[in-house]
Amino acid sequence: MQTSVTPTHCPYCALQCGMNLTPEQDGGVAVVERPDFPVNRGALCSKGRTAPAVLSSRVRLTSPLVRNAGVLEPATWEEALARIADGLTRTRTEHGPDACGVFGGGGLTNEKAYTLGKFARVVLGTSQIDYNGRFCMSSAAAGGIKAFGLDRGLPFPLEDIPKTGCVILVGSNLAETMPPALRYFTELKANGGKLIVIDPRRTRTAEQADLHLAPRPGTDLALALGLLHLVVAEGRTDEAYIQERTSGWEETRAAAMAHWPELVERITGVSVPELRETVRLFCEPETAMVLTARGPEQQSKGTDTVGAWINLCLATGRAGRPLSGYGCLTGQGNGQGGREHGQKADQLPGYRKLDDPAARRHVAEVWGVDPDSLPGPGRSAYELLDALGTDIRSLLLMGSNPVVSAPRAAHIEERLKSLDFLAVADVVLSETAALADVVLPVTQWAEETGTMTNLEGRVLLRKQAITPPDGVRSDLDILHELAARLGVEKGFPKDPEEVFEELRRASAGGPADYSGITYRRLVEENGVFWPCPAPGSVRDAGSVRDVEGSEDSEDSALDVLPDDPAGDPADRATEPHHPGTPRLFLDRFATPDGRARFVPVTHRPLAEEPDAEYPVLLTTGRVVAQYQSGAQTRRVDELNSAAPGPFVELHPRLAERLGAEEGDSLAVVSRRGRATAPARITTSIRPDTVFMPFHWPGEGRANTLTNPALDPTSRMPEFKACAVRVERADRSAGRAV
C-alpha cells in the first residue's frame, strides 16, 4: 500500500481544486484538504469530497466488453482492440478516412486530448473530430478571439476578483456549479465591491448579489447593448482608452445607440431604473469585470452576445488593465486545455488554426509527417453527431456521453444506434457506452498522471496516487495499441510525460505556448500560466500572435524560437525560465496591431420563440450534487441522496394555470420530444420560464427538448432557451400551458 500523501486535483469542474489523497487500508484513497493550492485554498464541494467513490470497482468498468448477438459481454483486451482496429479499417477501406469519426471529452488530460487529435489526423487521416467542450464555452472563445486575438477563459487569476470594484456575473450559478469559487465574490463584497448577477432565476448565487437582473432567456444580447447605450448617453465612456487601445468604436457605438433603454426593457423585462443602476454600479469604481458563463454563451447568437459584453468592457476602459477585464468561467475540467491541443475540428496543438499553412508545417514537422497529409477542418460537435450513420459510419468516442448531454438527444441516440461500428472508452458504462459494439475500461484521475488547464489558464499536474484495478488501461495505452494495429508503430507513447514533452514542441510559438512548462515546474510552482515560452525564446505574452493571423505572422513567431524549444531542461539550467503569464493584455492585445477590436452587434430573436402551441421558454442548467451528464456522479450514493432525479421548476402563477401542485408529474413538450419530471414550484423563476437540470437520462432527460440551432461562428447549440408547452403528465387532471 502507498503510504505517502499525494497532492492532486479534483476530477470535475474547471476550477481543478487542489486536494490531497491519503491511502486507506483497503487500497483506496480518502480526500483531505490541501490549503496550499491558491484556487480553492482547501475548500471542496460535495462532488470533490466524494470523488473517490467512483474509483470503486462496484461502480466502474474493469473489463472490456464486446457485443455478441446484441449483448455486451466481457472480453479480453486482445479481442476488444482487434475488433476496434477491424471496424475502423473496414470503414476506411469501404468509405474513406472521413467516414471514421472521433469524439473526445473536456475531461481528458492535455496529454490524452493531444494524442487523440494526433491519432485522428495521422493514423485515421480523418477530419471528423470534435469534442463535447464545443458545448461548453466555444462562443466565449470565438468572442474573445474576435476582440482580443486570443482566447483564455480568464485572462487574470481568480485572486484578482475580490480586489476589483464591481463584477457583472452573466448566466452563472457559481454557488451550485463551482461552490469553492463563491468565496471570491463574498470577499469582493467584504472589500466594498459590488456584485451584479444576471439570471432569469433567482439562484443561490443571485441571492448574494447587490443587484439581481432577471431577463427573459435569450435576451442577454439586448441587455448588454442597452447598458452600452446608457454608458454612451451618460458620458461614461473612456475616450482616451478607446483612442489608444482599440479599433472599430464608431460602428459599435452606432449599433448600441439603436438599443434605447425603453426598447431593451420591452425585450428583456429588465426595467429602465435597473439598467441605469447597473451602469452606475459598474462605472463608478476605477476597476470592474464582466464574467460570462453558459447562460449567454449557449445560444445561437452566443458569440455576438459575448461580443456585446466585451464591447461594454472596452468602451469603459475595463480590459487589459489591472483588476479589470472580461472573462469566461469555463465549465468542464479541461475544457480549456482540451481545445488548445487538437480535439476541436479546426485546431492543431498550441491553439493553432488547422487551415494555417505555417501551423500545419510546424506541427507536421513535430509529428514527422507531410503537412499535406493532414486533413482540413471537419464538422463541429453537433454536426458530427448528426452525421453519424450517414457520412460517418464508425465512431471512436472517449470520455463523453452525448446520449444525455447533446441537444435533441433522442435524435442523437438514434444516430449513434445507426452506426456501422461504435467504440467507447470510459470509466463507467454510460448511456452512450451501453450502445457500443466495444467498450474499453480506462483509468481515471487518481490512477494516472497527466496535466489539466484550469479556467485561469493555469496548467496543473495531477499525479497518480493509486494503482488502477486489473483489467483497466489508460487512454494513452489504448491509442498506442490501436495506432500500431492500424500501421503506425511510432509516435504514440504510453508515458504521459513523454507525450507532454512532444506537446511542448508542438505548441511552441503558438498562441497557447506550453514550451517552457515542465512536469518539474508544475510540481514546484503549483501550476504555470500559459503562454509560457521556452528559455531562449524572445516571444513573450505581449507578442502572442492573433489566432486568426496570417501565414507571415506565424512564420515570424516561429523564427524567434530555438531549434529545440522543449529540449532537456538540464541543458538550459543557466537560462532563466519564463515565469508564465497570469495576466494577459496589460501591454497590448494579441492582435496584429496590439489593439482590441470592437465588434458591432445587434439584437436578434431566439432561433425558436414561444408561440400559441409552445408558449413557455425552457432553460436548463446544473445542480450542485451532480455533474454534466451525471455518468459518474449518479453512481455516488451521497450525491444521489442530495439530488435523486430531475425536476421541473416553475413559477406559482404558471402552476396555478396548469392546476399543478408541488411534486405533481409534469410533461414538458418541445418540437423535438417530451420529458416528464416532478414539479418544483418557486417564486425564484420568471412566470414565462421553466427550468430543468440536464444530468439525467430517460423520461426526465432535459436535452430531449433542447434546440440544436447553431451559432454561425462558434457552432454552439442553443441549449439555454427553446419554446415548450407544459402540461400535467395525466392531461385529464389539468390544462396545458
Side-chain angles (χ1 to χ4, degrees):
M1 183 181 76
Q2 183 174 331
T3 57
S4 60
V5 174
T6 304
T8 188
H9 298 273
C10 177
Y12 292 115
C13 83
L15 283 179
Q16 285 298 288
C17 291
M19 59 171 62
N20 287 322
L21 297 181
T22 60
E24 295 188 316
Q25 290 295 327
D26 61 1
V29 289
V31 170
V32 295
E33 290 186 357
R34 182 184 165 189
D36 67 303
F37 187 64
V39 171
N40 62 309
R41 291 173 274 171
L44 292 168
C45 73
S46 57
K47 295 185 291 293
R49 287 189 295 98
T50 60
V54 187
L55 298 169
S56 169
S57 296
R58 293 185 297 104
V59 300
R60 52 96 60 88
L61 294 165
T62 56
S63 170
L65 304 174
V66 299
R67 191 169 297 278
N68 291 317
V71 178
L72 285 173
E73 299 176 339
T76 65
W77 274 95
E78 174 67 26
E79 180 183 0
L81 291 169
R83 284 208 190 185
I84 296 174
D86 289 347
L88 295 174
T89 298
R90 185 167 57 253
T91 296
R92 292 178 69 209
T93 301
E94 295 177 0
H95 304 286
D98 272 358
C100 295
V102 177
F103 200 83
L108 300 181
T109 64
N110 289 317
E111 293 80 0
K112 295 177 184 180
Y114 171 84
T115 303
L116 188 62
K118 181 180 179 182
F119 178 87
R121 295 178 174 107
V122 172
V123 178
L124 297 179
T126 183
S127 66
Q128 301 303 302
I129 174 173
D130 211 90
Y131 83 130
N132 63 12
R134 174 79 66 173
F135 300 155
C136 177
M137 60 169 292
S138 56
S139 292
I145 290 168
K146 284 186 175 186
F148 307 133
L150 182 68
D151 153 50
R152 196 179 82 186
L154 294 181
F156 43 76
L158 285 161
E159 67 185 45
D160 285 0
I161 291 174
K163 304 170 188 174
T164 194
C166 178
V167 173
I168 299 179
L169 186 62
V170 190
S172 173
N173 183 13
L174 284 169
E176 300 211 44
T177 60
M178 295 179 174
L182 193 62
R183 67 166 52 183
Y184 290 100
F185 300 89
T186 303
E187 292 170 8
L188 165 75
K189 295 183 63 178
N191 292 339
K194 301 299 182 182
L195 174 61
I196 302 168
V197 171
I198 298 173
D199 197 303
R201 304 165 63 220
R202 188 165 181 80
T203 63
R204 289 171 54 193
T205 306
E207 290 174 353
Q208 308 300 312
D210 297 283
L211 178 62
H212 170 222
L213 308 181
R216 180 174 176 268
T219 63
D220 311 87
L221 175 53
L223 180 60
L225 285 162
L227 295 175
L228 183 54
H229 177 110
L230 285 172
V231 165
V232 175
E234 296 178 3
R236 296 181 183 272
T237 57
D238 188 332
E239 295 297 329
Y241 173 92
I242 291 170
Q243 180 69 27
E244 294 168 7
R245 299 204 61 188
T246 72
S247 62
W249 169 232
E250 289 306 318
E251 296 87 346
T252 296
R253 180 184 182 278
M257 297 314 288
H259 296 77
W260 59 94
E262 292 77 13
L263 172 63
V264 170
E265 181 181 68
R266 290 200 298 272
I267 294 171
T268 66
V270 177
S271 70
V272 172
E274 288 176 312
L275 296 173
R276 294 189 184 278
E277 179 67 359
T278 300
V279 168
R280 185 187 71 81
L281 292 175
F282 184 67
C283 292
E284 284 188 352
E286 292 186 4
T287 58
M289 299 173 177
V290 172
L291 304 177
T292 66
R294 305 302 78 74
E297 297 163 16
Q298 287 182 328
Q299 299 182 28
S300 60
K301 53 189 172 182
T303 301
D304 284 356
T305 303
V306 166
W309 290 106
I310 292 175
N311 288 342
L312 181 67
C313 290
L314 294 176
T316 53
R318 308 304 177 89
R321 285 179 168 173
L323 305 182
S324 290
Y326 163 79
C328 166
L329 297 167
T330 310
Q332 292 193 81
N334 201 31
Q336 183 73 50
R339 69 180 181 280
E340 292 168 3
H341 299 301
Q343 279 193 102
K344 278 185 77 175
D346 57 348
Q347 288 176 194
L348 287 170
Y351 223 146
R352 289 181 161 91
K353 299 293 288 184
L354 187 54
D355 56 5
D356 182 338
R360 294 169 66 88
R361 287 197 301 271
H362 173 77
V363 174
E365 182 177 357
V366 173
W367 288 351
V369 299
D370 185 339
D372 292 337
S373 71
L374 298 177
R379 293 176 172 90
S380 70
Y382 181 79
E383 291 166 304
L384 188 157
L385 294 171
D386 190 40
L388 299 180
T390 55
D391 294 345
I392 300 173
R393 310 300 292 266
S394 292
L395 182 69
L396 174 63
L397 186 147
M398 288 187 157
S400 185
N401 188 18
V403 166
V404 178
S405 64
R408 197 184 173 197
H411 170 72
I412 296 306
E413 183 175 356
E414 291 305 310
R415 301 291 358 117
L416 284 159
K417 291 177 180 177
S418 72
L419 284 164
D420 295 343
F421 182 78
L422 172 63
V424 174
D426 209 333
V427 171
V428 298
L429 189 65
S430 69
E431 287 73 23
T432 304
L435 302 179
D437 297 286
V438 179
V439 182
L440 300 179
V442 295
T443 53
Q444 51 181 310
W445 61 290
E447 302 163 348
E448 60 187 13
T449 293
T451 60
M452 306 284 280
T453 305
N454 83 342
L455 78 172
E456 307 166 295
R458 188 193 303 253
V459 186
L460 306 163
L461 183 65
R462 286 198 322 207
K463 298 176 65 177
Q464 181 178 353
I466 58 174
T467 302
D470 292 340
V472 173
R473 297 189 185 182
S474 76
D475 299 87
L476 294 179
D477 183 89
I478 290 166
L479 293 171
H480 169 88
E481 294 290 339
L482 289 176
R485 290 169 185 268
L486 293 168
V488 182
E489 297 186 357
K490 295 182 179 180
F492 290 87
K494 303 178 183 180
D495 178 64
E497 188 167 9
E498 188 176 347
V499 174
F500 190 78
E501 290 301 302
E502 182 178 300
L503 182 157
R504 294 174 62 202
R505 295 194 299 275
S507 73
D513 190 336
Y514 283 31
S515 62
I517 303 175
T518 64
Y519 271 27
R520 179 176 177 179
R521 284 192 65 184
L522 295 178
V523 172
E524 294 175 346
E525 301 175 34
N526 245 340
V528 177
F529 292 86
W530 70 261
C532 182
S537 168
V538 301
R539 177 187 182 276
D540 59 23
S543 65
V544 175
R545 75 175 183 92
D546 183 2
V547 176
E548 298 176 323
S550 66
E551 179 179 341
D552 291 339
S553 66
E554 172 75 357
D555 282 335
S556 63
L558 293 175
D559 287 344
V560 300
L561 292 167
D563 290 338
D564 184 14
D568 187 344
D571 295 339
R572 303 185 181 278
T574 60
E575 299 183 54
H577 61 236
H578 190 286
T581 314
R583 296 169 181 86
L584 295 169
F585 313 139
L586 296 183
D587 298 318
R588 68 192 307 275
F589 294 95
T591 56
D593 62 3
R595 291 172 173 265
R597 298 175 290 210
F598 281 101
V599 179
V601 295
T602 58
H603 172 70
R604 61 183 184 273
L606 289 165
E608 184 178 79
E609 291 283 352
D611 57 18
E613 188 176 2
Y614 300 98
V616 177
L617 282 170
L618 167 71
T619 191
T620 64
R622 288 169 46 190
V623 297
V624 66
Q626 301 289 351
Y627 181 72
Q628 303 299 76
S629 74
Q632 296 181 44
T633 52
R634 285 187 276 111
R635 287 166 168 80
V636 179
D637 292 341
E638 180 180 331
L639 300 180
N640 280 332
S641 295
F647 56 87
V648 181
E649 185 178 281
L650 72 164
H651 192 275
R653 293 213 298 266
L654 180 57
E656 184 179 3
R657 289 161 57 194
L658 287 167
E661 298 183 357
E662 182 78 12
D664 284 351
S665 182
L666 297 181
V668 182
V669 184
S670 77
R671 290 177 173 86
R672 289 152 296 280
R674 173 186 173 100
T676 60
R680 183 174 294 184
I681 302 172
T682 174
T683 57
S684 66
I685 193 168
R686 292 174 55 97
D688 59 2
T689 301
V690 295
F691 167 83
M692 290 187 71
F694 57 74
H695 309 291
W696 288 274
E699 292 185 351
R701 180 173 60 185
N703 278 320
T704 297
L705 308 168
T706 49
N707 190 355
L710 301 180
D711 180 286
T713 301
S714 68
R715 316 308 288 169
M716 168 75 86
E718 194 154 67
F719 285 101
K720 283 304 178 197
C722 68
V724 298
R725 68 172 180 268
V726 186
E727 57 195 28
R728 293 282 297 273
D730 176 6
R731 293 193 61 176
S732 64
R735 297 180 299 276
V737 176

